[in-house]
Amino acid sequence: MSGMITVEDALARVLASAEPPLMEERVKLEAAHGRVLSRDLVALRTQPPFPNSAMDGYALRAADASALPATLTVIGESAAGRAFGGVVGPGQAVRIFTGAPLPEGADAIAIQEDVRRDGDRIELTAAAAGDNLRPAGLDFSEGEALIPAGRRLSPRDVALAAAANHVDLPVRRRARVAILATGDELVAPGGTLGPSQIVASNNFAVAGIVEACGGVAIDLGIAGDTLEALDEAIRRARGVEADVLVTLGGASVGDHDLVQKALVGAGMELGFWRIAMRPGKPLMHGLLGGMRVLGLPGNPTSSIVCSIVFLRPLLRALHGEPDAGRDPSRLGRLAAGLPPNGLRQDYMRCSLAHGPGGALMATPAEMQDSSLVKVMARADGLIVRAPHAPATRAGDPCRVIAFEGMGV
């Protein structure tokens, strides 16, 4: 493939640069959402710590409810946070509310709908049920492993950690990602545009993907097409202690593509810079000391596709998430036929909908030019086509990367 490496080979090299994962740090519960747990989390207490009622009703001895109707004497009350301190004896009952501790001596709950009360006397109209009781440890027990290392913590996970009596959690440090747009043709949004200039937009998409992956995006701005400007930007990336430097544009070897030259001059060990994929062929990867470098193409679609295929797995690996290189695609069906594919793996923008039987139907966008921002913004995902894939017809199976849930 004329010096190009496969997507699979490129991804393996990118992931290899993530070893070992970033260091561990501890964060308070309120800052733990979205962070990646660095070690298994175990319960520091038993939940619930005591048997309690699952319903409002009356706590009593099951033996007293064996023959109906049964009349019992109410001797007290047990509420959440205010347990009954006595013992339930024969012919006795305690008014109990949901979540309240089961009094000593009681082993059953009669729900209030099955009871007629007159003063301190109750008459049971139905048998008391054992399934109205929650035993101690029904949820979890002290020492039990609750959340595995490598899990990105959801709000539900944080709630579980709090219930298990944790006040802070061990997580991986967030990857610091410096993002540098390059090119004399670029102007920041709101700036004054010359006759040959365009507005820079790729950096915003990449920053959003970094944040969605739990990283910290650091905007280095725009560097012009001079070695001096690029050298200064590389110094700033080192100064902010970036774990990853993402450059946008200028990674090829044309007369105006100086990014690779500047990075190699600064000491970068170049891994590769040409991949058999479309869009995204001129993608560069290397190591500059302890900083990983991803040189993404300048076209908007190319930079986003390469961020999905390479940057996202790299960040997941740095954060210690398992299966960081797992294929994110799933099975779908084409809503329209496609011609044979060429020698590069193709990532085609598409819209997605559920068809008959729940099948995921992918409709390729009419225009696939990698410079089209609007087409990418309106897409729901990518159709992935292998090199030399044959022509297809509507209804044929395909592989699809859906954007939903990926932070794209």
Side-chain angles (χ1 to χ4, degrees):
M1 287 184 282
S2 303
M4 295 185 289
I5 65 173
T6 66
V7 171
E8 292 76 16
D9 189 10
L11 179 58
R13 298 190 197 186
V14 169
L15 292 175
S17 71
E19 292 295 334
L22 298 176
M23 297 293 290
E24 177 183 289
E25 62 183 12
R26 299 194 74 89
V27 297
K28 297 295 184 182
L29 283 176
E30 54 266 32
H33 173 227
R35 302 297 295 272
V36 178
L37 201 63
S38 57
R39 63 181 73 179
D40 291 347
L41 195 76
V42 301
L44 300 180
R45 63 184 292 273
T46 295
Q47 172 81 353
F50 44 75
N52 68 89
S53 178
M55 303 285 285
D56 290 344
Y58 294 84
L60 45 88
R61 291 158 26 103
D64 288 338
S66 58
L68 298 176
T71 300
L72 305 175
T73 301
V74 179
I75 61 171
E77 179 179 287
S78 182
R82 298 193 311 276
F84 175 74
V87 179
V88 177
Q92 296 178 333
V94 167
R95 178 70 164 127
I96 194 166
F97 298 94
T98 302
L102 184 71
E104 184 181 351
D107 59 2
I109 301 290
I111 62 174
Q112 60 188 20
E113 291 84 355
D114 295 335
V115 172
R116 286 196 295 265
R117 181 167 181 174
D118 183 10
D120 63 355
R121 306 283 287 178
I122 61 171
E123 182 181 334
L124 304 185
T125 59
D131 56 6
N132 294 326
L133 281 177
R134 300 172 179 143
L138 175 65
D139 199 351
F140 52 80
S141 300
E142 182 178 350
E144 180 182 340
L146 298 179
I147 309 175
R151 181 175 176 90
R152 182 174 297 279
L153 296 169
S154 69
R156 293 170 289 119
D157 295 321
V158 178
L160 175 57
N165 208 30
H166 288 273
V167 296
D168 54 32
L169 302 178
V171 297
R172 294 290 175 190
R173 180 174 62 78
R174 297 178 69 190
R176 296 173 58 81
V177 183
I179 303 169
L180 175 67
T182 70
D184 290 337
E185 76 278 13
L186 298 180
V187 176
T192 302
L193 289 156
S196 301
Q197 292 183 305
I198 59 173
V199 177
S201 61
N202 304 2
N203 51 319
F204 297 99
V206 174
I209 292 171
V210 169
E211 295 287 345
C213 290
V216 179
I218 304 167
D219 187 4
L220 297 182
I222 301 170
D225 290 322
T226 67
L227 287 174
E228 292 76 16
L230 292 168
D231 288 343
E232 171 58 25
I234 294 168
R235 282 193 290 272
R236 283 188 285 127
R238 284 171 153 165
V240 299
E241 299 181 333
D243 301 294
V244 182
L245 169 61
V246 175
T247 62
L248 302 170
S252 296
V253 289
D255 292 341
H256 300 283
D257 295 323
L258 301 176
V259 173
Q260 185 180 137
K261 182 177 181 180
L263 286 163
V264 171
M268 181 187 74
E269 179 184 346
L270 179 64
F272 60 82
W273 70 274
R274 280 159 50 91
I275 303 177
M277 66 182 291
R278 182 177 55 244
K281 172 185 171 183
L283 183 140
M284 175 181 63
H285 175 256
L287 290 172
L288 182 54
M291 184 166 61
R292 300 99 182 145
V293 177
L294 273 182
L296 305 187
N299 276 328
T301 295
S302 302
S303 65
I304 295 175
V305 169
C306 290
S307 293
I308 293 169
V309 177
F310 299 106
L311 178 57
R312 187 172 179 271
L314 172 60
L315 295 179
R316 293 186 70 233
L318 286 172
H319 291 148
E321 295 185 64
D323 303 322
R326 177 179 56 83
D327 181 4
S329 70
R330 53 178 163 151
L331 183 65
R333 291 196 175 276
L334 292 168
L338 293 171
N341 192 25
L343 58 81
R344 290 188 280 164
Q345 185 152 302
D346 203 358
Y347 295 84
M348 304 181 69
R349 279 69 72 207
C350 69
S351 59
L352 298 174
H354 289 286
L360 188 64
M361 303 300 297
T363 303
E366 291 185 7
M367 294 186 291
Q368 292 288 332
D369 189 286
S370 60
S371 68
L372 303 178
V373 183
K374 183 174 70 174
V375 172
M376 188 65 182
R378 292 182 176 178
D380 300 315
L382 303 169
I383 298 170
V384 184
R385 303 194 73 206
H388 306 294
T392 58
R393 296 178 296 180
D396 284 351
C398 64
R399 301 301 300 180
V400 173
I401 298 175
F403 294 156
E404 184 177 7
M406 297 187 70
V408 178

